[in-house]
């Protein structure tokens, strides 16, 4: 009875789909233009020094450039939005990196050594993953790190292909599909679907972003610099929202937002909970920008609801940690802590995951086109 709970697999035959070259080629073309823009912006921001009066308008102009160039470039290239989606996502991320790094330069939180020379500043501004610095000098990578990152890239690519093969037949919502096929209903089923589909969506986003950051790390390593880590197993080691967002999830964005938002606000005397909320507000703005450029049909504001909700969740955790309940969390075994964290993160409206799955041109579809995967056809 192999198909009783599996609508996609019950009477189906597998077929292998190979990666689609068109979105990859389009992404490479977009990234080549993006690299030229980042180089020019690095030179301009180096010449402007640390002046807020000059850097902030320059950063804003840089961030608006993709909106100006998108339509004419797509018309000239002759591709579709679906083909350009991956490149648009990567370009939006790269332009946002430049924006935040210009802001941190203006507020004095740039890593010491990153602006030591024009060449070092250009490298820092164009790096997809932060290089490490110590005593004002870039750190050199330890022996074997490039080889280990290449192995990690291959392993992450294989894991992404396997996971896409597992959940794409269910429309990237495996828990909902299985519950529906098995006739499970009611409030408990709704809760399981909410948590389960959020978990599977988070895992796929984690794999995809880890793939990108590992590739970025390899590019940094190839130039003789030691990059920071991209993730620290956020899904299966985090026991609380604060640990998830603050110490394990997307450490590149985490470090950049701390430098450009949290540290300046906290240093100016803003209370830690308010600085945390403001930092999640900056994260919301970054994702609004990223999604508006790469997700046709995106409803403006939905990413903000999610990230501001997560910020409130961290504030609530801070309040709970001031009570005796904090001892319960510290004594919980790891599996229970992980389950608690996934459930807690699911309390916030799941607009973030929905934007990756439910739009007319879903970004999960673009991720699937990057990898070989098994599809099931009747």
């Amino acid at each position: 009875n192999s198909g009783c709970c599996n609508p996609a697999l019950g009477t189906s035959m597998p077929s292998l789909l190979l990666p689609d070259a068109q979105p990859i080629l389009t992404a490479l073309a977009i990234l080549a233009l993006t690299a030229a823009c980042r180089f020019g912006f690095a030179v301009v921001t180096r010449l402007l020094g640390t002046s807020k009066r000059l850097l902030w308008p320059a950063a804003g102009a840089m961030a608006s450039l993709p909106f100006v160039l998108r339509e004419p470039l797509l018309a000239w290239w002759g591709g579709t939005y679906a083909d350009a989606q991956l490149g648009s996502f990567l370009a939006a991320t790269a332009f946002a990196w430049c924006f935040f790094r210009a802001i941190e330069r203006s507020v004095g939180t740039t890593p010491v050594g990153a602006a030591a020379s024009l060449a070092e500043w250009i490298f820092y501004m164009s790096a997809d993953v932060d290089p490490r610095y110590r005593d004002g000098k870039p750190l050199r990578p330890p022996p074997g790190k490039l080889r280990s990152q290449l192995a990690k890239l291959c392993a992450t690519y294989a894991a992404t292909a396997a996971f896409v093969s597992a959940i794409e037949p269910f429309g990237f919502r495996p828990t909902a599909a299985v519950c529906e096929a098995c006739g499970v209903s009611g409030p408990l089923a709704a809760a399981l679907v909410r948590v389960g589909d959020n978990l599977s969506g988070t895992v796929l986003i984690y794999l995809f972003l880890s793939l990108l950051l590992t590739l970025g790390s390899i590019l940094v390593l190839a130039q003789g610099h030691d990059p920071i880590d991209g993730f620290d197993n956020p899904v299966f080691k985090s026991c609380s929202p604060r640990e998830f967002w603050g110490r394990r999830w997307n450490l590149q964005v985490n470090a950049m937002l701390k430098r450009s938002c949290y540290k300046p606000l906290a240093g100016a005397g803003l209370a830690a909970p308010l600085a945390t909320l403001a930092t999640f507000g900056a994260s919301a703005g970054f994702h609004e920008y990223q999604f508006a450029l790469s997700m046709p049909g995106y409803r403006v504001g939905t990413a903000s609801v999610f990230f501001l909700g997560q910020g409130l969740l961290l504030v609530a955790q801070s309040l709970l940690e001031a009570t005796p309940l904090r001892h319960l969390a510290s004594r919980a075994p790891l599996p229970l802590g992980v389950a608690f964290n996934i459930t807690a993160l699911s309390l916030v409206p799941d607009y973030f995951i929905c934007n990756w799955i439910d739009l007319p041109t879903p970004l999960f579809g673009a991720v699937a086109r990057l990898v070989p995967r098994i599809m099931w056809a009747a």
Side-chain angles (χ1 to χ4, degrees):
N1 194 21
S2 60
C4 73
C5 292
N6 196 328
L9 309 183
T11 59
S12 302
M13 293 295 292
S15 60
L16 178 66
L17 296 182
L18 297 177
D20 191 340
Q22 187 59 46
I24 298 174
L25 294 174
T26 304
L28 290 175
I30 292 173
L31 289 177
L33 179 60
T34 301
C37 293
R38 293 171 85 176
F39 177 85
F41 188 60
V43 173
V44 169
T45 51
R46 173 71 179 179
L47 294 174
L48 293 178
T50 58
S51 168
K52 292 184 178 68
R53 185 171 59 87
L54 298 175
L55 275 176
W56 286 59
M62 176 71 173
S64 67
L65 199 57
F67 290 100
V68 176
L69 296 177
R70 180 175 58 174
E71 295 296 335
L73 283 176
L74 194 61
W76 173 76
W77 182 258
T80 65
Y81 274 112
D83 290 338
Q85 189 171 29
L86 174 65
S88 298
F89 180 86
L90 298 177
T93 304
F95 277 87
W97 269 210
C98 288
F99 175 85
F100 283 117
R101 284 168 174 162
I103 297 303
E104 69 186 44
R105 180 155 167 76
S106 74
V107 297
T109 54
T110 299
V112 178
S117 66
L118 176 60
E120 191 62 37
W121 179 247
I122 290 173
F123 173 77
Y124 177 69
M125 284 291 282
S126 58
D128 295 310
V129 179
D130 282 350
R132 300 178 194 268
Y133 296 90
R134 181 181 296 164
D135 299 327
K137 296 179 180 180
L139 289 177
R140 301 303 172 190
K145 187 166 183 177
L146 178 58
R147 185 168 58 252
S148 69
Q149 288 296 300
L150 288 169
K152 180 181 177 181
L153 182 71
C154 295
T156 305
Y157 187 77
T160 304
F163 198 68
V164 167
S165 297
I167 70 172
E168 188 181 15
F170 304 101
F172 299 105
R173 292 185 178 278
T175 312
V178 170
C179 285
E180 181 179 357
C182 294
V184 178
S185 60
L188 178 59
L192 290 173
V193 165
R194 175 70 171 270
V195 175
D197 286 349
N198 273 327
L199 173 60
S200 60
T202 301
V203 169
L204 185 52
I205 294 171
Y206 165 48
L207 289 171
F208 172 56
L209 296 183
S210 183
L211 191 68
L212 297 180
L213 290 176
T214 302
L215 183 57
S217 295
I218 290 170
L219 295 176
V220 171
L221 286 164
Q223 298 174 77
H225 288 63
D226 187 26
I228 67 170
D229 296 326
F231 288 88
D232 185 14
N233 196 357
V235 181
F236 301 111
K237 278 194 174 180
S238 298
C239 294
S240 71
R242 174 179 289 173
E243 183 179 4
F244 180 88
W245 291 115
R247 297 195 292 273
R248 296 189 180 277
W249 180 264
N250 203 334
L251 302 178
Q252 172 60 41
V253 172
N254 187 312
M256 207 149 35
L257 289 174
K258 280 183 178 177
R259 291 193 302 265
S260 61
C261 187
Y262 184 86
K263 285 185 177 179
L265 292 175
L270 193 65
L274 294 178
T276 297
L277 276 179
T279 304
F280 271 90
S283 179
F286 159 57
H287 287 89
E288 292 284 349
Y289 175 80
Q290 191 181 49
F291 289 2
L293 279 169
S294 61
M295 296 183 179
Y298 169 70
R299 284 193 303 151
V300 175
T302 52
S304 294
V305 170
F306 174 82
F307 281 99
L308 290 172
Q310 293 294 332
L312 290 172
L313 202 60
L314 262 68
V315 172
Q317 180 182 340
S318 297
L319 296 175
L320 286 173
E321 287 176 348
T323 72
L325 291 175
R326 68 183 184 275
H327 299 298
L328 294 177
S330 62
R331 294 169 183 168
L334 180 62
L336 189 60
V338 169
F340 166 78
N341 177 61
I342 293 169
T343 303
L345 294 176
S346 299
L347 295 175
V348 176
D350 57 346
Y351 294 134
F352 185 69
I353 301 294
C354 291
N355 283 321
W356 288 72
I357 298 176
D358 297 332
L359 294 177
T361 309
L363 197 54
F364 275 174
V367 176
R369 295 174 72 185
L370 286 176
V371 297
R373 73 252 192 221
I374 296 172
M375 288 295 291
W376 298 83

